[in-house]
Amino acid sequence: MASGYGLSGGPSRCFPFWQEVLACYVVNGNADDLSGAQKCLPALEDYYECLHHKKEAMRTRTLQQAYRKAELAHPRDSAPRAGAIRNLGLLGKEEDSRAVLEATRGGGNGSGNGGK
């Protein structure tokens, strides 16, 4: 929070949180007694979260881990079969797939001159 100005020239995204921290220190702070500063810890925590997003990142990681764990526990019921992948999703084209597979396995000699 060097200047309070953001990249676009206006106030930075965390400037309102910084103002809350300063206002709390002005109201509760005292040069002789530092116990008033303890009242400002929630405001200071909000300001740090605005700057660094550590809590948000932790929540995101936790959600991603839970999602991956649930995904592994319950495999997809609608996973495509090998036949559907070969047919590229075309229904009723199993015969065409069989013909293509037989041709690639050696159904023809591949020379194109009839074996002469």
Side-chain angles (χ1 to χ4, degrees):
M1 182 97 271
S3 65
Y5 291 100
L7 295 174
S8 62
S12 68
R13 69 169 193 259
C14 299
F15 186 65
F17 293 101
W18 177 246
Q19 286 180 322
E20 285 182 30
V21 171
L22 286 181
C24 183
Y25 280 142
V26 167
V27 171
N28 297 315
N30 186 334
D32 300 329
D33 184 21
L34 297 178
S35 65
Q38 294 296 322
K39 295 178 184 176
C40 300
L41 284 180
L44 187 61
E45 191 174 305
D46 289 344
Y47 175 64
Y48 283 146
E49 176 59 24
C50 179
L51 286 176
H52 305 293
H53 303 290
K54 290 189 180 220
K55 289 181 183 179
E56 180 184 3
M58 183 180 63
R59 282 189 211 113
T60 303
R61 278 193 301 272
T62 303
L63 284 172
Q64 286 175 344
Q65 287 172 351
Y67 179 77
R68 289 186 185 117
K69 184 178 178 181
E71 211 173 35
L72 290 175
H74 304 291
R76 287 185 1 187
D77 295 333
S78 62
R81 298 184 325 269
I85 294 172
R86 273 191 222 109
N87 292 328
L88 299 176
L90 300 174
L91 299 175
K93 297 293 183 181
E94 289 82 14
E95 297 83 21
D96 295 342
S97 292
R98 257 186 243 115
V100 169
L101 287 174
E102 289 174 5
T104 58
R105 287 187 191 146
N109 63 6
S111 65
N113 60 6
K116 294 183 183 179

